[in-house]
Amino acid sequence: MRRRHFLATLAALSLPGRRLRAGAARTRIHPFPLSQIRLGPGVWRDAAEVNRRAVLAEDPDRLLHNFRVTAGLASSAAPLGGWEAPDNELRGHYVGHHLSACAMIWASSGDPRARQRGTQIVSALAACQRALGSGYLGAFPEALFDRLRDNRPAWAPFYTLHKIMAGLVDMHTLAGSAEALDIVTGIARWTARWTQSLGDADMARVLEREYGGMNEVLYNLAAITGDRAWADVAHRFDHERVFRPLADGRDELKGLHVNTTLPKIIGAARRYELTSEPRYRRIAEYFWHEVAERRTYATGGTSNGESWNTEPGVLAGELSGYTHECCVTYNLLKLTRQIWSWTGDPACADYYERALWNGILGTQHPSDGSKLYYLPLAPGYWKLFGTPRADYWCCTGSGSESFAKLGDSIYFRDDDGIYVNLVIASELAWTERGVTLIQDTQFPAEPRTRLIVKTARPAAFALRVRIPSWVARGGGARLNGKPLDGFAAPGGYLVVDRTWHDGDRLEVALPMALSSVAMPDDPSIEALTYGPLVLAERMGSAGLGPGVLRAEPTKPRAIPEYKGDGLAMPVLTGPAPWLRPAGGKPLAFHTTGPGERREFVPLYQIFDERYAVYVKTPG
Ligand SMILES: [Zn+2]
């Protein structure tokens, strides 16, 4: 009754048709579109392939089941389980992620099956939206939003709506679906009516419930359509209670749910990009520095039990089986990419690399593409992967996107030329200039990369290659076989500004060394690193049958301790003289000394066994 009244009252309201100021976005550096980048052979392309197979293995009719039931349309498909089950209040969220993943897979690989799959689901969703008749589209009835408005229990309906809207926006921008834009515009109109019915105080209460990136997706819609009205609707989702302290430079993040907070900040960053209001840039940059530099583990992840439980820089007591939620890394990488494009700050690129290698790559099981929810950092735990068709966690969805867009932050451009930010085998088609840049590398199995220019005509531009902060002594570059006089300090860019000819080749040596990242509040607890890779001690798979591996680890072991006494003479300089490379196994190390030999490998390589990332060392 109340909802009918609400709709009748608001249906007549129309949105103002002001146009968004053209050219308001002021980003200095631009990413290349995914469609211009192809991954080359190596661990990243392998991971993208595993994800592609997993995404395409989904059954569209099963994904659509709850949408069709909600719209009163026939569906004989078997319902999915977990968070997509017919009685779960987040149902439908994964379908939004799935649309994003399909659009990204199409853009990054050109696989026509991905676009066809996305288009098929978009058309089916259009039919559901038509049947519902109000502009609303969801896999649960609008009644869940009534409950939210009336301050009754409802998990997070706008969180789910955001995923669906973002998936439709991606299908439009990456896969050219006009129908997807129509649907999402209809949902935005419905959202505008819904929010217009609430005063600011009631809206502030609504914003206390997790709402994903509703502000971001509506700002994106404003940018796509040029219609300022969507920015006004987006602004209703800008959460002042969270933004105010950040704008004032105060870290009041303790106690906040991390993945509820992050998408709001991405929305603030998007607002800055559209409006150039410095306050929103301040919010995003201050937040990024606090979180990326003072609240992340060595892996680049943040959160414990999904929250920040401490003041910044206090992490030693925050090791558990529920650390490092994977959606959080997904979102933090998105924000990092935005801020890097404003600032060109190499610290952003360093962070991006660290989180990508350690917080993304090993979070998908190579056998079936199942995804992690948390990356446990308590010693002796294992990676608990979701069960396909049965779990559909938030991180199942964001993970399917992470592995569908692995190429999106390797290359950037500005008026002067190209930035190469990541050492990942790949090929960039710089179609605007008729240049192809091939990055040929087996990194991290080899500590170097080769950049080869293909061009029909000589092309003048600056090639700026990031020299990561972890690069050890001995780095250098050769141009067409001849050593270059200069190099860049670690944490900077090697700039080669010249007229490039077809076949020109820049080879960059990036020596890796053992190092460590200490807990900010307890230097005796460290994670060992090799180049950008966080190492973990392998603790074996004894007792880890399939049933145990799919269960939550609950009994941590003690933090492994290594004493300097009696160890063999140092074989490597740096913080871990008690480690030496394991002969014949690239990227593997073992302890020296008289005790039991223990093996360390990159965390991203560990599956189906116990491990420890943080260890106690002689200091
Ligand atoms: Zn998640």
Side-chain angles (χ1 to χ4, degrees):
M1 185 66 192
R2 195 165 170 185
R3 179 164 66 86
R4 280 204 305 276
H5 172 72
F6 157 71
L7 288 174
T9 310
L10 295 168
L13 288 178
S14 63
L15 289 162
R18 283 176 287 141
R19 308 301 294 176
L20 199 68
R21 188 155 50 95
R26 269 194 216 142
T27 47
R28 203 161 61 85
I29 303 171
H30 307 273
F32 283 96
L34 263 180
S35 58
Q36 289 175 233
I37 297 146
R38 292 288 180 267
L39 296 174
V43 290
W44 294 104
R45 193 170 76 182
D46 291 347
E49 288 301 310
V50 168
N51 184 57
R52 172 160 55 163
R53 280 198 298 277
V55 167
L56 292 175
E58 298 286 355
D59 178 341
D61 286 322
R62 296 188 70 183
L63 292 171
L64 287 161
H65 175 75
N66 291 324
F67 285 90
R68 286 172 168 153
V69 168
T70 300
L73 302 177
S75 172
S76 57
L80 296 166
W83 295 13
E84 283 297 318
D87 60 351
N88 191 292
E89 290 189 355
L90 291 192
R91 62 193 183 271
H93 75 104
Y94 180 81
V95 178
H97 287 296
H98 186 71
L99 285 179
S100 293
C102 287
M104 291 168 181
I105 290 170
W106 157 251
S108 59
S109 72
D111 186 337
R113 294 172 302 171
R115 183 169 64 171
Q116 197 272 334
R117 161 68 61 81
T119 306
Q120 175 191 354
I121 293 177
V122 166
S123 293
L125 291 176
C128 293
Q129 190 182 41
R130 280 194 299 275
L132 285 164
S134 64
Y136 172 72
L137 171 68
F140 49 74
E142 285 181 52
L144 210 58
F145 286 92
D146 296 348
R147 278 160 46 188
L148 176 66
R149 187 196 56 221
D150 299 343
N151 206 17
R152 286 181 286 148
W155 190 348
F158 274 120
Y159 172 91
T160 302
L161 194 68
H162 161 242
K163 306 303 171 232
I164 295 164
M165 293 178 77
L168 291 163
V169 165
D170 286 336
M171 277 301 297
H172 171 69
T173 54
L174 298 174
S177 169
E179 191 170 30
L181 183 61
D182 286 345
I183 302 172
V184 75
T185 305
I187 301 174
R189 275 197 206 98
W190 177 88
T191 304
R193 289 198 303 272
W194 197 94
T195 54
Q196 278 169 350
S197 75
L198 297 184
D200 287 346
D202 282 336
M203 195 64 198
R205 174 177 54 74
V206 164
L207 296 187
E208 294 298 327
R209 206 79 57 88
E210 182 169 12
Y211 61 82
M214 282 299 295
N215 51 349
E216 184 213 1
V217 74
L218 287 159
Y219 285 126
N220 283 338
L221 189 60
I224 291 166
T225 60
D227 190 342
R228 171 80 201 197
W230 304 128
D232 294 341
V233 185
H235 196 45
R236 298 297 309 276
F237 290 93
D238 284 332
H239 197 177
E240 264 307 304
R241 185 182 69 77
V242 172
F243 288 0
R244 198 173 305 116
L246 296 167
D248 295 343
R250 280 180 285 123
D251 182 332
E252 295 182 0
L253 300 173
K254 181 180 170 182
L256 294 187
H257 184 265
V258 178
N259 203 47
T260 296
T261 307
L262 250 161
K264 300 173 183 177
I265 310 301
I266 294 171
R270 198 68 188 110
R271 180 174 180 88
Y272 164 70
E273 290 176 345
L274 296 186
T275 66
S276 301
E277 290 166 89
R279 179 172 186 266
Y280 291 88
R281 175 171 176 159
R282 218 161 50 236
I283 289 166
E285 287 193 325
Y286 175 77
F287 174 90
W288 185 86
H289 283 287
E290 283 300 293
V291 174
E293 294 171 352
R294 303 183 72 198
R295 290 183 172 277
T296 56
Y297 302 100
T299 52
T302 183
S303 75
N304 182 20
E306 306 200 6
S307 295
W308 290 300
N309 307 306
T310 60
E311 296 300 332
V314 181
L315 284 170
E318 294 293 306
L319 299 178
S320 79
Y322 309 101
T323 42
H324 187 131
E325 186 190 342
C326 293
C327 288
V328 166
T329 317
Y330 160 92
N331 277 314
L332 204 40
L333 286 176
K334 268 178 81 166
L335 181 64
T336 303
R337 189 168 181 265
Q338 285 173 296
I339 293 178
W340 189 84
S341 74
W342 308 339
T343 61
D345 181 353
C348 292
D350 270 346
Y351 171 78
Y352 198 100
E353 179 181 56
R354 179 158 64 95
L356 196 64
W357 280 100
N358 304 300
I360 298 288
L361 183 55
T363 65
Q364 168 184 261
H365 201 291
S367 68
D368 61 2
S370 55
K371 307 295 190 292
L372 284 187
Y373 193 146
Y374 306 105
L375 181 58
L377 292 174
Y381 281 179
W382 56 89
K383 296 176 179 178
L384 164 58
F385 288 92
T387 302
R389 253 62 76 195
D391 284 320
Y392 292 107
W393 302 319
C394 48
C395 302
T396 314
S398 59
S400 72
E401 293 185 41
S402 288
F403 287 93
K405 57 169 183 170
L406 292 170
D408 85 343
S409 295
I410 305 173
Y411 305 103
F412 294 82
R413 65 180 165 78
D414 64 9
D415 291 344
D416 299 326
I418 299 177
Y419 292 86
V420 181
N421 265 9
L422 295 170
V423 191
I424 291 180
S426 52
E427 188 170 315
L428 166 69
W430 192 12
T431 44
E432 298 83 353
R433 297 287 299 272
V435 170
T436 298
L437 184 67
I438 298 165
Q439 183 170 188
D440 172 23
T441 181
Q442 293 169 43
F443 182 85
E446 60 167 359
R448 67 182 61 83
T449 190
R450 289 161 290 272
L451 295 158
I452 300 140
V453 175
K454 296 282 180 196
T455 179
R457 285 173 303 164
F461 62 90
L463 188 56
R464 284 155 298 196
V465 184
R466 178 174 148 265
I467 307 303
S469 57
W470 49 258
V471 166
R473 273 192 294 182
R478 289 171 173 268
L479 181 61
N480 296 327
K482 293 194 188 103
L484 289 180
D485 288 342
F487 197 54
Y493 282 85
L494 168 68
V495 182
V496 184
D497 192 354
R498 68 194 294 271
T499 298
W500 297 87
H501 295 84
D502 188 49
D504 278 349
R505 180 184 175 91
L506 182 67
E507 182 166 356
V508 186
L510 302 164
M512 300 159 81
L514 279 171
S515 187
S516 66
V517 180
M519 276 293 184
D521 51 331
D522 185 348
S524 75
I525 302 176
E526 297 181 293
L528 301 175
T529 60
Y530 184 64
L533 310 175
V534 169
L535 304 178
E537 183 189 325
R538 303 181 65 174
M539 298 179 117
S541 53
L544 295 185
V548 179
L549 279 172
R550 297 282 189 189
E552 294 182 29
T554 52
K555 288 187 186 142
R557 296 185 175 179
I559 296 180
E561 202 161 337
Y562 303 100
K563 299 200 167 60
D565 311 336
L567 295 184
M569 59 180 285
V571 290
L572 294 159
T573 56
W578 39 274
L579 268 191
R580 76 162 76 209
K585 285 169 115 180
L587 308 174
F589 300 84
H590 64 70
T591 51
T592 61
E596 185 193 351
R597 177 172 285 194
R598 310 201 189 175
E599 191 179 10
F600 284 76
V601 295
L603 174 62
Y604 80 77
Q605 295 180 352
I606 289 190
F607 297 99
D608 307 329
E609 76 172 287
R610 297 175 190 272
Y611 60 87
V613 167
Y614 281 98
V615 297
K616 286 201 174 200
T617 62

